[in-house]
Amino acid sequence: MMFWRSIVGKLWITILLLVSFVLFILTILLLEYFENYHVNETENDLSHLATKIATTLETYDDNDVARAIAWEFADDVTKVLIIYDENTYWYSPDLETIGNLPISYFMEEPTLSKVFTEDIKVSEKKYIDDSGMDANFPDEMFIVGSPLHFAGDKTGAVFLYQSLNIVEETSRRTTTFIYFAAGVAIILTTIFAFFLLTRITAPLRKMREAAFELSKGKFDTKVPILTNDEIGELATAFNQMARQLKYNINAVNQEKEQLSSILSSMADGVITLNRDGTILISNPPAERFLQYWYYQQGMKNNSEEELPIEIRELFEKAVSFEKEQITEISFQGRNWVIIMSPLYNQTYIRGAVAVLRDMTEERRLDKLRTDFIANVSHELRTPIAMLQGYSEAIIDDIASSEEEKKEIVKVIYDESLRMGRLVNELLDLARMEAGHITLNKEEANIDEFSDKIIRKFQGLAKDKGIHLSAIKNQQMIGSLIIDPDRIEQVLTNLIDNAIRHTNEQGSVTLNITSKENGVLFEVSDSGSGIPEEDLPFVFERFYKADKARTRGRSGTGLGLAIAKNIVDAHMGEISVHSKMNEGTTFTFFLPRKTE
């Protein structure tokens, strides 16, 4: 079936039909020509022979001699009838192939009887369909009549008739020869057509195969140039097209790779949107942004890639007003500035490009800059003011008794200790951040270490009516190479903060989980929690969840910053999760191998 659909099959069928049609028309014309030619030749021969016999009969006086000569003129396939009158007539000797037609047939037939009545020559092709005739008569004969003149103006006739089967036999032989020639012509045409078409289509098949290879990305494919004709020029053009296509594809791929590298390397997120708001292109920072938003909304990343409402509204404004739009959104404790610009396609807007810039660090630094002076001033102002006030009381001799003087001196001493502790913590933190922290590592048993920390805070927890406990996911956590004093400082800070920010009847839990590559510590409380906007700043210096900064509840605000630096020095990680009025969980992980 595929052969008939191919170019070779179609051209072969076309050429064969064309040659067959031409041969058919030529055969019809030749057969008609040969048949007419033979009939005309037979008519001419019979007419000349009839005239010759009539002349002989009129020339010789001896009728017997004249008839004998006449019979000699006739050949083996021609019957001669000499008629003097309807009672006197002679037939040439009998032939095996044809019998004697009755004389009445010649006398009564309208055309043949004109020889007698009009004294003219006649010729006619007759079909013998009389069932009374002899079976030897052929179905079709050609009859020629010539007038015969006698003395006394008497007119007779000489009739010659001959079977046309000979003509038909000649026509059949001619037809057979023509059919044979036509068959040979068709066979030669088929062979020639296949040879020619194969020569023509072979390069085309190679071009087709090369085109399939090009469609698969194999741009080095070349078509061999076999001829110098139009097909050869087509092959040359095809090879040039392949080279140009390879060059263009490589150029497009390079531009695509450059664009992809640029987008992937950008710190800002980029989202290209279609006219209907669907996402066309996004780089990794933008995908992380969308993942954060999906998580915030409690959604899974669906195939539709739904946009945040703020971005969609910004997109609609940018497309409607054809102007750049800017907005800022916050979620998951991070701040994002979004710049939406229309994307033009020559004369109309075909979408928009959104640039998402994570401004969390900048906002955090701005907040730290604005809060740092206030925090330091507040932390130093209170003890300085108290030192100044109680010193003036001593100088002015306001204290009347020795006990009051001792109490004032005790306050001055406590505040100086507090200032010293604040300064020392600031110096420690500065050294840690500068990378000058010194760790005295040793192998510590985590079970004993954790029990020691819990016992340390049991008294404070009971005084506040808080349930303090330790949970170990395995009976024996094992040992860990750490600086016990520093890690104790971290846990002390975290547990102390948890107790101070948990109300009575609350709970504080130390959860320790042994991992294959380290130990995970979790300090959880059921306290008031940390606001979401403050989560990015909990490990910064002077951060305090207590905005009122009450003396009995707040520390220096440096504990968590120091704890983070200690954990970082142990090559660990620390993080916080919190929800308002549900509690806070500080988690830090210490690896078993820190080198």
Side-chain angles (χ1 to χ4, degrees), residues 383-417:
I384 290 174
M386 295 185 70
L387 287 174
Q388 181 181 358
Y390 283 109
S391 299
E392 290 176 354
I394 293 176
I395 293 173
D396 294 340
D397 200 16
I398 294 177
S400 58
S401 62
E402 193 67 26
E403 292 180 357
E404 290 180 353
K405 289 181 180 181
K406 288 183 178 180
E407 183 178 353
I408 291 174
V409 172
K410 181 68 168 57
V411 172
I412 293 174
Y413 177 73
D414 290 341
E415 292 301 325
S416 64
L417 290 178

Short mmCIF file of all heavy atoms in Angstrom, two decimals, residues 383-417:
data_model
loop_
_atom_site.label_atom_id
_atom_site.label_comp_id
_atom_site.label_asym_id
_atom_site.label_seq_id
_atom_site.Cartn_x
_atom_site.Cartn_y
_atom_site.Cartn_z
N PRO A 383 21.08 51.17 84.52
CA PRO A 383 22.06 51.03 85.61
C PRO A 383 22.84 52.31 85.88
O PRO A 383 23.17 52.60 87.04
CB PRO A 383 22.98 49.91 85.11
CG PRO A 383 22.80 49.88 83.66
CD PRO A 383 21.40 50.28 83.40
N ILE A 384 23.14 53.10 84.83
CA ILE A 384 23.86 54.35 85.06
C ILE A 384 23.01 55.30 85.89
O ILE A 384 23.51 55.99 86.81
CB ILE A 384 24.27 54.97 83.72
CG1 ILE A 384 25.38 54.13 83.07
CG2 ILE A 384 24.75 56.41 83.91
CD1 ILE A 384 25.76 54.59 81.67
N ALA A 385 21.72 55.38 85.53
CA ALA A 385 20.83 56.26 86.30
C ALA A 385 20.74 55.82 87.77
O ALA A 385 20.73 56.66 88.69
CB ALA A 385 19.45 56.28 85.66
N MET A 386 20.66 54.49 87.97
CA MET A 386 20.58 54.00 89.34
C MET A 386 21.90 54.25 90.07
O MET A 386 21.89 54.64 91.27
CB MET A 386 20.26 52.52 89.34
CG MET A 386 18.86 52.22 88.78
SD MET A 386 18.42 50.49 88.91
CE MET A 386 18.22 50.36 90.68
N LEU A 387 23.05 54.05 89.40
CA LEU A 387 24.34 54.33 90.04
C LEU A 387 24.45 55.82 90.39
O LEU A 387 24.92 56.19 91.49
CB LEU A 387 25.48 53.94 89.10
CG LEU A 387 25.73 52.44 88.91
CD1 LEU A 387 26.79 52.22 87.83
CD2 LEU A 387 26.19 51.80 90.22
N GLN A 388 23.99 56.64 89.44
CA GLN A 388 24.06 58.08 89.69
C GLN A 388 23.15 58.48 90.84
O GLN A 388 23.53 59.25 91.74
CB GLN A 388 23.68 58.82 88.42
CG GLN A 388 23.75 60.35 88.57
CD GLN A 388 23.34 61.06 87.28
OE1 GLN A 388 23.05 60.38 86.28
NE2 GLN A 388 23.35 62.36 87.32
N GLY A 389 21.93 57.95 90.86
CA GLY A 389 20.97 58.33 91.91
C GLY A 389 21.42 57.88 93.29
O GLY A 389 21.38 58.67 94.26
N TYR A 390 21.81 56.61 93.39
CA TYR A 390 22.21 56.10 94.71
C TYR A 390 23.55 56.71 95.13
O TYR A 390 23.80 56.90 96.35
CB TYR A 390 22.32 54.59 94.68
CG TYR A 390 20.94 53.93 94.73
CD1 TYR A 390 20.41 53.30 93.63
CD2 TYR A 390 20.19 53.97 95.90
CE1 TYR A 390 19.15 52.72 93.67
CE2 TYR A 390 18.93 53.39 95.96
CZ TYR A 390 18.41 52.75 94.84
OH TYR A 390 17.17 52.18 94.89
N SER A 391 24.43 57.06 94.21
CA SER A 391 25.67 57.73 94.58
C SER A 391 25.39 59.10 95.15
O SER A 391 26.00 59.55 96.14
CB SER A 391 26.58 57.84 93.37
OG SER A 391 26.92 56.57 92.86
N GLU A 392 24.44 59.84 94.49
CA GLU A 392 24.05 61.15 95.01
C GLU A 392 23.43 61.02 96.39
O GLU A 392 23.62 61.90 97.26
CB GLU A 392 23.08 61.82 94.05
CG GLU A 392 23.72 62.26 92.75
CD GLU A 392 22.70 62.83 91.77
OE1 GLU A 392 21.49 62.77 92.11
OE2 GLU A 392 23.09 63.32 90.69
N ALA A 393 22.69 59.91 96.60
CA ALA A 393 22.09 59.72 97.93
C ALA A 393 23.17 59.55 98.99
O ALA A 393 23.04 60.05 100.13
CB ALA A 393 21.17 58.50 97.91
N ILE A 394 24.24 58.84 98.64
CA ILE A 394 25.33 58.66 99.60
C ILE A 394 26.07 59.98 99.82
O ILE A 394 26.40 60.36 100.97
CB ILE A 394 26.30 57.57 99.10
CG1 ILE A 394 25.59 56.22 99.11
CG2 ILE A 394 27.55 57.51 99.97
CD1 ILE A 394 26.42 55.10 98.53
N ILE A 395 26.30 60.70 98.71
CA ILE A 395 27.01 61.97 98.83
C ILE A 395 26.21 62.96 99.66
O ILE A 395 26.74 63.68 100.52
CB ILE A 395 27.34 62.54 97.44
CG1 ILE A 395 28.35 61.65 96.74
CG2 ILE A 395 27.85 63.98 97.53
CD1 ILE A 395 28.61 62.03 95.29
N ASP A 396 24.93 63.01 99.40
CA ASP A 396 24.07 63.96 100.12
C ASP A 396 23.74 63.47 101.52
O ASP A 396 23.00 64.16 102.26
CB ASP A 396 22.78 64.20 99.33
CG ASP A 396 23.06 64.91 98.02
OD1 ASP A 396 24.13 65.55 97.89
OD2 ASP A 396 22.21 64.80 97.08
N ASP A 397 24.22 62.27 101.86
CA ASP A 397 23.99 61.70 103.19
C ASP A 397 22.50 61.58 103.49
O ASP A 397 22.01 61.94 104.58
CB ASP A 397 24.67 62.56 104.27
CG ASP A 397 24.89 61.76 105.57
OD1 ASP A 397 24.79 60.50 105.48
OD2 ASP A 397 25.13 62.38 106.60
N ILE A 398 21.80 61.11 102.44
CA ILE A 398 20.35 60.95 102.61
C ILE A 398 20.06 59.75 103.49
O ILE A 398 19.11 59.77 104.29
CB ILE A 398 19.67 60.80 101.25
CG1 ILE A 398 19.82 62.11 100.46
CG2 ILE A 398 18.20 60.43 101.39
CD1 ILE A 398 19.26 62.06 99.07
N ALA A 399 20.85 58.68 103.36
CA ALA A 399 20.61 57.48 104.17
C ALA A 399 20.88 57.81 105.63
O ALA A 399 21.95 58.32 106.01
CB ALA A 399 21.52 56.35 103.71
N SER A 400 19.89 57.54 106.45
CA SER A 400 19.98 57.90 107.87
C SER A 400 20.57 56.80 108.73
O SER A 400 21.10 57.05 109.80
CB SER A 400 18.60 58.28 108.42
OG SER A 400 17.69 57.18 108.23
N SER A 401 20.46 55.60 108.23
CA SER A 401 20.94 54.48 109.05
C SER A 401 22.00 53.71 108.28
O SER A 401 22.14 53.84 107.06
CB SER A 401 19.79 53.55 109.44
OG SER A 401 19.21 52.98 108.28
N GLU A 402 22.69 52.87 109.02
CA GLU A 402 23.73 52.05 108.40
C GLU A 402 23.14 51.01 107.47
O GLU A 402 23.71 50.69 106.42
CB GLU A 402 24.54 51.37 109.52
CG GLU A 402 25.83 50.75 109.05
CD GLU A 402 26.84 51.77 108.59
OE1 GLU A 402 26.79 52.94 109.05
OE2 GLU A 402 27.69 51.43 107.72
N GLU A 403 21.96 50.50 107.79
CA GLU A 403 21.31 49.49 106.96
C GLU A 403 20.90 50.08 105.61
O GLU A 403 21.03 49.45 104.56
CB GLU A 403 20.08 48.92 107.68
CG GLU A 403 20.45 48.09 108.91
CD GLU A 403 19.21 47.54 109.59
OE1 GLU A 403 18.09 47.89 109.10
OE2 GLU A 403 19.34 46.79 110.55
N GLU A 404 20.40 51.33 105.63
CA GLU A 404 20.01 51.97 104.38
C GLU A 404 21.24 52.19 103.50
O GLU A 404 21.18 52.03 102.27
CB GLU A 404 19.32 53.30 104.66
CG GLU A 404 17.92 53.13 105.28
CD GLU A 404 17.26 54.47 105.55
OE1 GLU A 404 17.94 55.51 105.39
OE2 GLU A 404 16.06 54.48 105.89
N LYS A 405 22.38 52.59 104.15
CA LYS A 405 23.59 52.80 103.38
C LYS A 405 24.04 51.50 102.74
O LYS A 405 24.45 51.45 101.56
CB LYS A 405 24.70 53.35 104.28
CG LYS A 405 24.46 54.78 104.71
CD LYS A 405 25.62 55.28 105.57
CE LYS A 405 25.39 56.73 106.01
NZ LYS A 405 26.50 57.26 106.84
N LYS A 406 23.98 50.37 103.52
CA LYS A 406 24.38 49.08 102.96
C LYS A 406 23.45 48.67 101.81
O LYS A 406 23.90 48.10 100.80
CB LYS A 406 24.34 48.02 104.05
CG LYS A 406 25.46 48.16 105.07
CD LYS A 406 25.40 47.02 106.10
CE LYS A 406 26.57 47.14 107.10
NZ LYS A 406 26.54 46.05 108.10
N GLU A 407 22.16 48.98 101.96
CA GLU A 407 21.21 48.63 100.90
C GLU A 407 21.52 49.42 99.63
O GLU A 407 21.49 48.88 98.51
CB GLU A 407 19.79 48.91 101.36
CG GLU A 407 18.74 48.49 100.34
CD GLU A 407 17.32 48.74 100.85
OE1 GLU A 407 17.16 49.09 102.01
OE2 GLU A 407 16.40 48.56 100.02
N ILE A 408 21.87 50.71 99.80
CA ILE A 408 22.18 51.54 98.63
C ILE A 408 23.46 51.03 97.96
O ILE A 408 23.55 50.91 96.73
CB ILE A 408 22.34 53.00 99.06
CG1 ILE A 408 20.97 53.58 99.47
CG2 ILE A 408 22.93 53.84 97.92
CD1 ILE A 408 21.04 54.97 100.05
N VAL A 409 24.46 50.71 98.82
CA VAL A 409 25.71 50.19 98.27
C VAL A 409 25.47 48.86 97.55
O VAL A 409 26.06 48.58 96.51
CB VAL A 409 26.76 50.04 99.39
CG1 VAL A 409 27.99 49.33 98.89
CG2 VAL A 409 27.14 51.42 99.95
N LYS A 410 24.56 48.03 98.11
CA LYS A 410 24.24 46.75 97.49
C LYS A 410 23.62 46.97 96.11
O LYS A 410 23.96 46.26 95.13
CB LYS A 410 23.26 45.98 98.36
CG LYS A 410 22.86 44.60 97.82
CD LYS A 410 24.03 43.66 97.84
CE LYS A 410 23.60 42.22 97.59
NZ LYS A 410 22.90 42.06 96.32
N VAL A 411 22.72 47.96 95.97
CA VAL A 411 22.11 48.24 94.67
C VAL A 411 23.17 48.72 93.69
O VAL A 411 23.20 48.31 92.52
CB VAL A 411 20.99 49.29 94.84
CG1 VAL A 411 20.49 49.75 93.47
CG2 VAL A 411 19.85 48.72 95.66
N ILE A 412 24.07 49.63 94.18
CA ILE A 412 25.13 50.13 93.31
C ILE A 412 26.01 48.97 92.86
O ILE A 412 26.40 48.87 91.68
CB ILE A 412 25.95 51.20 94.04
CG1 ILE A 412 25.10 52.45 94.30
CG2 ILE A 412 27.20 51.57 93.23
CD1 ILE A 412 25.78 53.52 95.13
N TYR A 413 26.30 48.06 93.78
CA TYR A 413 27.14 46.90 93.43
C TYR A 413 26.44 46.01 92.41
O TYR A 413 27.06 45.57 91.43
CB TYR A 413 27.46 46.13 94.72
CG TYR A 413 28.27 44.88 94.46
CD1 TYR A 413 29.61 44.95 94.12
CD2 TYR A 413 27.67 43.62 94.56
CE1 TYR A 413 30.36 43.81 93.90
CE2 TYR A 413 28.40 42.46 94.32
CZ TYR A 413 29.74 42.57 93.99
OH TYR A 413 30.48 41.42 93.75
N ASP A 414 25.16 45.74 92.63
CA ASP A 414 24.41 44.88 91.68
C ASP A 414 24.36 45.51 90.29
O ASP A 414 24.51 44.81 89.27
CB ASP A 414 23.00 44.63 92.21
CG ASP A 414 22.98 43.73 93.43
OD1 ASP A 414 24.00 43.03 93.64
OD2 ASP A 414 21.98 43.73 94.15
N GLU A 415 24.12 46.80 90.23
CA GLU A 415 24.03 47.45 88.93
C GLU A 415 25.39 47.49 88.23
O GLU A 415 25.46 47.36 87.00
CB GLU A 415 23.49 48.87 89.08
CG GLU A 415 22.03 48.93 89.53
CD GLU A 415 21.10 48.22 88.56
OE1 GLU A 415 21.35 48.27 87.33
OE2 GLU A 415 20.12 47.60 89.02
N SER A 416 26.46 47.63 89.03
CA SER A 416 27.79 47.60 88.41
C SER A 416 28.08 46.20 87.87
O SER A 416 28.70 46.07 86.80
CB SER A 416 28.84 48.03 89.43
OG SER A 416 28.90 47.10 90.52
N LEU A 417 27.65 45.18 88.63
CA LEU A 417 27.81 43.82 88.12
C LEU A 417 27.02 43.63 86.82
O LEU A 417 27.49 42.97 85.88
CB LEU A 417 27.36 42.80 89.17
CG LEU A 417 28.24 42.65 90.40
CD1 LEU A 417 27.63 41.64 91.37
CD2 LEU A 417 29.64 42.21 90.02
#
